[in-house]
Amino acid sequence: MNKEQLRSIEKVHVEGMGVEIVGENTPDPLRFAFRQKRSAHAGGMTSMVAEGEQQPIAQAILSTTPSQSGKRCLYVHIPFCRVRCTYCNFFQYASSQSLIDDYFAALMVELELKARQAWTQAAPFHAVYIGGGTPTDLTAAQIKRLGQMIRQHFPLTTDCELTLEGRINRFTDEMFDSALEGGFNRFSFGVQSFDTQVRRKAKRLDDKDVVLERIQALSSSESAPIVIDLLYGLPYQDLTVWQQDLNDFLDSGAHGVDLYQLIEMGGTPMKGLVENGRLPEPADTPTKATMFENGVNFMAKHHMRRLSVNHWARDNRERSVYNSLAKTSAEVLPLGAGAGGNVSGYGFMQHRNLDTYMASVSKGEMPLMMMTKSAPLAALHAEIKASFDRGVLSASLLRKALAQQVMVNQIPAMYMSIDVYDYCLPLFQKWESHGLVDVDNEYLSLTLAGQFWSVSLAQAMIEVLQQFLPAQAAA
């Protein structure tokens, strides 16, 4: 694409675009603008890095001090669970103390290896997230050591958020105290539902009273923000049960809450159980839309501070730094089997198989299962995803994101003559006519319906822009 062709570009043509892009023209867009949520997260085009090139490229990236550095995070994966929840697609290994001990030893080796790299020491990390799996299946001593090792070996901002994710089950006072001593300052628990029947059918451990009382005790200690996840659309979780889940969150005293919808079951145990008649069908999309609407109204009624389209804080202690940054162009350094991240324009996915992971670490290698080269418009795509997650898209921030791509030589400078927001304005206006957004010359704001369909809208915009700036033209 040359300068003359760029000058001829006016605005995207929405005529002929499918409903997966523009949505349905319906009097009830909250429930029927799209058939279903397309995926858990929006994403852009990437290209695979050949297996033989992965180690040299990764080693070169991490051994180099970057000329400039933006926001960065650390993600640590603990791939163990005592029980596989019926809706879960991420289960890797059943918890075994001997296996956990071997894994933890390898993780400490990888942690020190990556902490020594020039890239790592070049700038501070703004957030650390220990996810899984079930990180709280580590022992109290291991949790404490993990936090201490991170604080000892990694440069962190003075207000760095260190989150430990896990279950309430078996999360004792000893574990809580050990995590605090290790330097963790935020705790995220996957409650999903307080209702005992819903929990049992989803293979969640502990009944309602146990979970609620434990969240109350942890929250009332005021030692650190306690955040919970609630999942809506589960089998047996009708609108009445969902309303009680919201009430229970309020009673729990937790400092923050995420409201996530159950998406397509895929290869989960739930799918087989439903097909065999052992579980009722989970909620359909219109019902989940109603649940989302009830959740939004409930949070507004009780004056919760909204941090994103699906996350709320009770007070200023809850910031959700990692979750916010991970949706932007912030770099994420991965540690552990099954961890994923992105550094210097490359996506990293580490070995999921424990034997392969531990063997790779023992040889001093980067334990890479897969590596991708980010799309030329990755920073722009990241801004789009973050904006739809916030509920507001800014024309000026889109311009800055495009300028960032030019600055790091990912696309030619002549593309700076394109105003992405203006180019997409016909698409935005179509969405506005369908009740999904409100648009002016500088901002696109999501309506309630747009908030529910935010991932679908972000994905649609990214796909439109990939047609407008195909990878081969930008390279």
Side-chain angles (χ1 to χ4, degrees), residues 23-54:
E24 296 277 5
N25 185 11
T26 168
D28 190 355
L30 172 64
R31 294 165 183 82
F32 301 108
F34 299 93
R35 290 186 59 190
Q36 61 188 21
K37 187 176 181 179
R38 297 176 64 181
S39 63
H41 308 285
M45 185 167 46
T46 60
S47 57
M48 297 294 298
V49 175
E51 184 176 353
E53 299 176 5
Q54 293 176 10

Side-chain angles (χ1 to χ4, degrees), residues 158-204:
T158 56
D159 64 344
C160 182
E161 177 190 272
L162 273 76
T163 299
L164 180 68
E165 181 184 77
R167 296 178 188 258
I168 284 298
N169 181 262
R170 297 187 189 176
F171 190 71
T172 63
D173 287 344
E174 179 192 4
M175 295 185 74
F176 188 40
D177 292 340
S178 292
L180 293 171
E181 291 170 10
F184 289 101
N185 54 23
R186 182 177 183 269
F187 297 82
S188 177
F189 295 103
V191 171
Q192 318 313 353
S193 174
F194 287 96
D195 185 84
T196 295
Q197 182 185 34
V198 173
R199 292 181 60 78
R200 287 180 177 175
K201 296 300 183 180
K203 299 296 184 184
R204 299 296 294 175

Side-chain angles (χ1 to χ4, degrees), residues 85-88 198 201-203 233-237 262-284:
C85 301
T86 60
Y87 54 81
C88 182
V198 173
K201 296 300 183 180
K203 299 296 184 184
L234 290 163
Y236 296 103
Q237 187 189 39
L262 180 72
I263 57 174
E264 287 300 302
M265 293 178 288
T268 63
M270 181 182 291
K271 182 177 176 61
L273 291 169
V274 170
E275 289 175 347
N276 293 332
R278 297 173 62 189
L279 275 181
E281 289 280 352
D284 58 16

Side-chain angles (χ1 to χ4, degrees), residues 21 55 142 250 333 398 401 462:
I21 300 294
Q55 285 295 324
Q142 287 169 337
L250 198 65
L333 181 66
L398 289 178
I462 288 171

